[in-house]
Structures are given as C-alpha cells and as structure tokens.
Amino acid sequence: MPNMQRINRESTPPVSAPRNTLSARPRFSRENVTKALFVVPAAVFTVLFFGYPVVKNITMSLQDYTTKTFFTGEAPWVGIKNYATIFGSNLFTPALLNTALFTLGSIAGQFVIGLALATFFKRRFPLSNFLRSMLLLPWLLPLIVGSATWRSILDQDSGILNRSLEGLGVIHDPIPWLTSPAVALSAVILVNIWVGIPFNVTIIYGGLQDIPEELYEAAALDGATGWKAFRNITWPNLRPVVSVVLVLGVVYTLKVLDIILGLTNGGPANATQTLAVRSYQESFINFQFGSGAAYSNVLILISLIFAIIYLRANRRAVDE
Amino acid sequence: MHAGLLTALGILFLAVMLFPIYWMVNASLQPSGNTLTAGFFPTNPSFDGYATAVSQQGKNLVTSLLVSTGTVLLTLAIAAPASYALAQFKFRWINAALLVILIAQMIPGIVIANALYAAYNDLGLLNSIPGLILADSTHSVPFAILILRAFMIGIPPSLVEAARVDGAGLIRAFLSIVIPISRNSLITAGLFSFLFSWSDFLFALTLTTTQAVRPVTLGIYQYLGSEISNWSAVMATAVLSSLPAIVLLLIAQKYIAAGATGGAVK
C-alpha cells in the first residue's frame, strides 16, 4: 500500500557542535559504550527482521525448499533451477505485465486525482483543513476492510455500482467487475487508486504549501493566473516533490498484496496475478518456498532500481 | 470563487471519496442474508450483523488489540533511543544508518514473510502473539525512527547537558528530559504503529496457521474467501475493524496530521 513515507522539504536545523570537551577520550570510553547502547535494539531488530529475510530469500531461492524441508530439515541446493522454473512458467510474463499495468494505472490515477484535490484544497475556505484531514480516512483503514467494502460495491448481481448504473440506464447488463478476466484488473486498479489518493494529496499538498506565495503575486502582476500560473510556477516548483511521490508510489504499489488477495485472489483465470501475488501463492499455497523466494527476489530487484531513483530524486528535492 | 461554493465542492469531493465507507456502515445495518439489496439509507437498521460479528470475531478483535498494543510498545522501545542517537550523537555511520532505514522501509512484506515463516517454524513462534508483534513491528519501526528523529534533531543539546552537569547519566537524562519533551512525536509514532499493526494482513495471513491466534484482518479475509453468505456480518466486522482509524482521526487529528506530513525522509 502507499504506506507512509513522508517527505519534508524543510531543511533540518544543524546539529550543534559536539558537547564533548574532553577531546582525547578513548574510543571505548564508558560514555561511548552507553551511547552505542541506544542503537543496539534497533540494530539487532534491523539485522534480524530486515537483513536476515533478504539474505534468507536469496539462499532459499537457490534451494529446493518445500514442506518436506520443515520435517527433514533438508533443503538441497539446486542452483538457478527455481529461477528457470519461474521464468519458464506460463504465469511469469502475465504476472510481470499485470504488475506493470497495475502499478502504472494505480500511480497515474492516484497522482492525477491527488494533484487535482491538493490544488483544490490549497485554497482557503471554511472547513478546508477539516475536510482535507477527513480525506485521510481511506488510507488509515485496514486495506482488507477496503477490499471487503469494494467487494460488496462491485458485486455483479446486487452490488450498488451495477444497480446504480442500471438504474441510470448507463448499462443494460450488469458488469462482472471482479469475475470477468477482461475487467478484473481494471476494477482492482480502481480500488487501489481510491486507497492511494489520500497519500498523494497529503504529499503534494505539502509541496504546494512550500511554494512561496510571492511567486504567484509577482506572476499575477504579469497577468499569469489560473492555468498559466500552474504551468509556469506550480509545476516547475513542484517537480522534485512529484518525482519523489511517483517513485515512492511505484515502490509501494509493487508490493501490494492485501487488495488483490481480498478482491480477486489473483483470479479470475489469473487475470490479476502480480509478482507479489505469485510469490505469496508459490510459498504459502503451493509450499514451494524456493520458487516463492525467486519471485520475491525479482520483486526486490525491481524495487531496488526504483529505490535508487528515489534516493536520487529525494536528494534533489532536499537540495533545491 | 465564492468561499461557500468552495466548501460545498469540498464536501462533495469528500463525500465521493468516503462513499465506500458510508456504504460499509449502511450494509452492516441490513438484516442478515446473502444478498446486498440495501437501499441508500438503513431505514430499518438491524444489528444482527453486529451480533454475529461480535460472536464470531470478538476473540480475533481482542487478538488484534493485543498485537497492536504490543507493537506500539516494542516499536517505541526500539525507535525512541535509536532516534535520539541518530539525531544527536556524532557517529560517523549515521548517514549510512539512515540509508539502511529508508531501504528497509521499501522491502516488500512478502520477502519478510517468506523468511520468517521458516524461522518461526523452527522457533515455535508461528501462531503466537509475540511472533506477530515482532513481525508487525517491521511495518512501524523505520517509520517511527524517521518521525522521532525529525523531532529530536531540534532538541537543544543544552537541555540534556544541564541534567548531565547535575550528575545524571546519559540514560537517565534521556528518560527524564528527552522522552517528556518528545511526548507529541511519541504519540504520533505510537498512533501510527498501532494503526499499521491493526491493519496488518500479510503477517496475519502467513504467520498464523490455526484459529488459535487470529487477527481480525484475517477473519475478514476468511469471510471473503468463501461464497459470502452473510454480508451484514462481514460489513459489521469491517466497521468494527475501522473503528480505531475513525476514532483516532476524529479525536487525535493533530497527531495524525503530524504523522502524515512530518515523518521526514531526508
């Protein structure tokens, strides 16, 4: 999910000079040992719950790691066989394609609507702050709650969406939103857009707040208002925030699992399979942990590329 | 444009965005049954769905509450001292540590779940509340560190120095000076840790295998897995699972807004 990663463009106050007046302290002084104790719990946690899983996924992906392993403790090394299996699987290409479509579709929708709403809420009007913070609600709810709710809305026969569309005469036959391979991916993207809008509004709104008002005032004197002001002032000044929000959106959308499992479970007819869903199903449905790990390593590799882009974009955002 | 018109438009946008949540509440008040023939308003509200939800999911709600509370405590215990160190101590590796935290936040949960399942199986942590607390903390520890560090970086070192001059050790000074003045950011980090853990689905799904320990998110998923026979119970459970987010957004708006905009990533 567009989990929370926030950007803050304000520069941090400089950390004041070291208070250590005794410059010739030994490296392992009591003071330094105490200081190290502050980071030990976080360091241990990071190694065990982030470092170990990444390493374990790499080794698992090179092993024949199945249910049997849990009884016998044996996981024979098989080299790149798991990768050969998943790349050769007829589900790999569709899953990769769906991941790309799901990510692109979700990000495009979230961003455009998020930008529009953020621009709207930038104007001051009664209740604007209250309404904007209430907008956060879809993002704070458990994703599986969103899935359940949308399952009821999109239900083919009795869901409110089809009933309303039929009542308005827009459609004559109910649309099988989640049960037809042709539309299921679009429906899942729609729901993910709904989930991601608050995140986009919040970050873009923050970016808009940082654009100095004087720029608009000066532009207004030159006759640039409305769309012109947006194109010449808002957009160029927002660019660094935009790159951060897009790249983060990609990293978070790549790993979405709750929404797809809750809405379609990867179906119908594998129409909503993504790399994350494949990884889950190989490991926890088929108990082929080796293949599951291979899928998640592909996912990590793609995320890593975007993470690097993110770090560069973020550095630019801070510099500017 | 007239301010009143803008407010009306804002309410309209919000109404569209929140319609699914309204619909969830509306559907939860319908008489039980396997169809969704609800009208736009619950004219004859029935609480059957809630009765079923509480009897079937009550235990799971308690499990979620225990796991989420535990996650808050563990997350703050890990993140608060680390954030202070990253904000105020002069270690050479601080930038490297921040980079690790940023990257950690991007690791897909399924990667962690794959590895933890095997490890938990050996350690006997599957189907256990401590196991879920530890796993759920991966959602919140990096975020909490970033939020808390963003605040602690602004604490004047002279405050702590004054206490040190009076003879307090570093740890005592941290507990008696830094923690109290960081109260607001600790509340923000704690609230979000709670909501992340409460919302967790992936670890509930992969790290529990029996009915014994089962967070409510998984309870909802199981309703969804089969042919849905009782929509009002599903929706009532969904409403009950939404309560923490709704209540916190209403009563602790200040802290939620701070977390939504302030968890600085530098």
Side-chain angles (χ1 to χ4, degrees), chain A residues 167-203:
Chain A
L168 293 169
V170 180
I171 55 170
H172 296 292
D173 300 307
I175 299 174
W177 294 107
L178 297 172
T179 44
S180 149
V183 285
L185 188 64
S186 310
V188 171
I189 290 173
L190 174 85
V191 175
N192 198 47
I193 289 175
W194 177 74
V195 169
I197 288 173
F199 168 82
N200 281 263
V201 173
T202 307
I203 295 197

Side-chain angles (χ1 to χ4, degrees), chain B residues 24-54:
Chain B
M24 164 178 83
V25 177
N26 182 32
S28 74
L29 293 169
Q30 304 299 322
S32 9
N34 57 357
T35 52
L36 282 158
T37 43
F40 273 92
F41 303 100
T43 36
N44 289 309
S46 150
F47 290 90
D48 290 358
Y50 286 89
T52 316
V54 169

Side-chain angles (χ1 to χ4, degrees), chain A residues 148-155 159-162 177, chain B residues 19-20 23 36:
Chain A
T149 305
W150 280 96
R151 273 278 288 271
S152 81
I153 293 173
L154 297 174
D155 188 87
I160 188 66
L161 184 57
N162 276 347
W177 294 107
Chain B
F19 174 78
W23 196 251
L36 282 158

Side-chain angles (χ1 to χ4, degrees), chain A residues 1 3-19 27 31-32 34-39 41-42 45-46 48-50 52-54 56-57 60 65 70 117 120-121 123-127 129-131 133-145 147-153 155 158-160 163-164 194 197-198 202-203 248 251-252 255 257-258 261-263 265 276 279-280 283-284 287 289 292-293 296-297 299-300 303-304 307 310-311 314 318, chain B residues 1 3 6-7 9-11 13-14 16-21 23-24 27 35-40 74 77-78 81-82 84-85 87-93 99-100 102-121 134-135 137-139 141-143 145-146 153-154 157 161 164 170-171 174 192 195-196 198-199 201-202 205-206 217 220-221 224-226 228 231 234-235 238 241-242 245-246 249-250 253 256-257 259-266:
Chain A
M1 93 178 223
N3 210 329
M4 353 214 11
Q5 177 88 306
R6 295 356 205 131
I7 43 169
N8 181 350
R9 297 177 65 213
E10 291 155 34
S11 54
T12 46
V15 181
S16 65
R19 63 184 108 99
R27 200 161 160 222
E31 176 82 2
N32 273 349
T34 314
K35 280 182 170 180
L37 283 180
F38 276 73
V39 291
F45 183 82
T46 305
L48 291 182
F49 287 86
F50 293 109
Y52 166 76
V54 169
K56 180 76 177 171
N57 264 264
M60 256 181 166
Y65 209 111
F70 296 116
L117 283 175
F120 173 78
F121 278 105
R123 320 169 80 143
R124 298 258 145 252
F125 54 87
L127 291 180
N129 278 332
F130 173 76
L131 294 175
S133 49
M134 285 303 118
L135 210 55
L136 286 172
L137 194 51
W139 176 53
L140 295 174
L141 295 183
L143 287 173
I144 201 75
V145 165
S147 301
T149 305
W150 280 96
R151 273 278 288 271
S152 81
I153 293 173
D155 188 87
S158 53
I160 188 66
R163 278 198 279 148
S164 305
W194 177 74
I197 288 173
T202 307
I203 295 197
L248 269 186
V251 173
Y252 291 128
K255 58 181 184 179
L257 204 55
D258 316 34
L261 290 184
L263 287 172
N265 248 323
S279 176
Y280 163 73
S283 291
F284 293 96
F287 293 105
F289 282 87
S296 42
N297 287 336
L299 198 59
I300 281 208
S303 304
L304 191 66
Y310 165 74
L311 290 169
N314 197 28
V318 171
Chain B
M1 217 186 294
L6 287 175
T7 304
L9 263 178
I11 292 173
F13 292 149
L14 186 68
V16 171
M17 274 298 287
L18 298 191
F19 174 78
I21 295 164
W23 196 251
M24 164 178 83
T35 52
L36 282 158
T37 43
F40 273 92
L74 180 66
I78 292 175
Y84 182 64
Q88 300 270 346
F89 296 170
K90 292 272 178 184
F91 286 132
R92 243 174 297 141
W93 37 262
L99 187 67
V100 168
L102 281 182
I103 301 275
Q105 216 171 12
M106 297 178 173
I107 297 174
I110 187 68
V111 170
I112 298 171
N114 269 336
L116 286 189
Y117 181 84
Y120 275 22
N121 189 52
L134 284 164
S137 296
T138 61
H139 294 310
V141 165
F143 175 75
I145 291 180
L146 295 174
I153 214 161
E161 269 164 40
R164 304 287 312 270
L170 187 55
I171 294 176
F174 172 73
F192 275 93
L195 290 179
F196 289 162
W198 181 271
S199 306
F201 166 69
L202 182 64
L205 178 67
T206 53
T217 46
I220 295 179
Y221 181 61
L224 295 178
S226 45
I228 296 162
W231 270 110
V234 180
M235 290 296 130
S241 322
S242 307
I246 295 172
L249 188 57
L250 288 174
Q253 213 184 94
I256 298 281
T261 51
V265 172
K266 305 249 57 169

Side-chain angles (χ1 to χ4, degrees), chain A residues 64-292:
Chain A
D64 187 22
Y65 209 111
T66 60
T67 338
K68 234 175 76 193
T69 308
F70 296 116
F71 295 109
T72 62
E74 283 167 25
W77 295 93
V78 292
I80 58 160
K81 189 171 148 262
N82 287 318
Y83 290 95
T85 311
I86 68 160
F87 291 140
S89 148
N90 54 8
L91 284 178
F92 183 81
T93 314
L96 190 64
L97 192 65
N98 286 342
T99 307
L101 289 173
F102 178 72
T103 307
L104 278 176
S106 301
I107 299 296
Q110 293 168 3
F111 178 74
V112 170
I113 300 174
L115 178 62
L117 283 175
T119 313
F120 173 78
F121 278 105
K122 194 181 167 260
R123 320 169 80 143
R124 298 258 145 252
F125 54 87
L127 291 180
S128 62
N129 278 332
F130 173 76
L131 294 175
R132 188 171 47 82
S133 49
M134 285 303 118
L135 210 55
L136 286 172
L137 194 51
W139 176 53
L140 295 174
L141 295 183
L143 287 173
I144 201 75
V145 165
S147 301
T149 305
W150 280 96
R151 273 278 288 271
S152 81
I153 293 173
L154 297 174
D155 188 87
Q156 182 178 355
D157 298 319
S158 53
I160 188 66
L161 184 57
N162 276 347
R163 278 198 279 148
S164 305
L165 291 176
E166 282 176 303
L168 293 169
V170 180
I171 55 170
H172 296 292
D173 300 307
I175 299 174
W177 294 107
L178 297 172
T179 44
S180 149
V183 285
L185 188 64
S186 310
V188 171
I189 290 173
L190 174 85
V191 175
N192 198 47
I193 289 175
W194 177 74
V195 169
I197 288 173
F199 168 82
N200 281 263
V201 173
T202 307
I203 295 197
I204 298 171
Y205 179 83
L208 291 177
Q209 292 299 96
D210 287 346
I211 302 176
E213 202 50 47
E214 301 87 70
L215 290 181
Y216 290 102
E217 286 161 14
L221 291 179
D222 294 339
T225 52
W227 172 245
K228 255 190 171 159
F230 179 85
R231 231 188 50 194
N232 295 322
I233 298 170
T234 312
W235 187 252
N237 281 288
L238 203 60
R239 279 271 295 281
V241 176
V242 169
S243 21
V244 168
V245 95
L246 290 181
V247 182
L248 269 186
V250 170
V251 173
Y252 291 128
T253 310
L254 282 175
K255 58 181 184 179
V256 166
L257 204 55
D258 316 34
I259 293 178
I260 300 180
L261 290 184
L263 287 172
T264 61
N265 248 323
N270 295 316
T272 53
Q273 287 281 358
T274 62
L275 293 174
V277 174
R278 284 308 313 138
S279 176
Y280 163 73
Q281 292 188 339
E282 285 295 337
S283 291
F284 293 96
I285 304 290
N286 304 336
F287 293 105
Q288 297 291 334
F289 282 87
S291 306

